[in-house]
Amino acid sequence: MQRRGLVEREECETDRHGATFRLTSTGRTTIEQAAPGHVEAVRTLVFDALSSRQVTQLADLTGHLLHHLEAGRPAGPGKGPQQLDSAGQRVV
């Protein structure tokens, strides 16, 4: 993506092992052009296969998982809480 000019890479100030990527104007245009086809594919492949009850369950589950991730909960069995910096990046 960087070679295609879609993103720019910057070193992370708070984590010497990390990097930050920023979307370029070319990247934004590419996303905007791809969005309608992406939305249609997701609708066809996911939502058309689910009942309205299942869509509600999917929303509940993904909401729960996002809350879990945002709270910096353990990444897996035996893992301690993750520390996140102000940008939401994991601190090593």
Side-chain angles (χ1 to χ4, degrees):
M1 291 177 71
Q2 188 176 0
R3 279 183 263 146
R4 292 174 50 203
L6 305 176
V7 296
E8 296 173 338
R9 181 176 194 249
E10 298 177 1
E11 299 301 318
C12 181
E13 295 177 13
T14 59
D15 181 355
R16 65 184 178 95
H17 300 289
T20 301
F21 289 86
R22 298 194 191 287
L23 192 62
T24 64
S25 60
T26 301
R28 164 115 7 235
T29 299
T30 301
I31 287 174
E32 289 171 352
Q33 290 172 347
H38 175 75
V39 168
E40 184 59 33
V42 171
R43 181 176 291 121
T44 300
L45 297 171
V46 178
F47 292 101
D48 287 353
L50 300 175
S51 68
S52 60
R53 181 172 177 257
Q54 290 170 319
V55 170
T56 299
Q57 289 173 326
L58 179 61
D60 290 344
L61 288 168
T62 54
H64 174 77
L65 291 171
L66 286 171
H67 176 74
H68 179 78
L69 293 170
E70 289 168 355
R73 302 259 194 260
K79 303 270 183 165
Q82 293 182 8
Q83 294 180 341
L84 304 178
D85 65 17
S86 61
Q89 300 294 316
R90 185 170 59 96
V91 176
V92 178

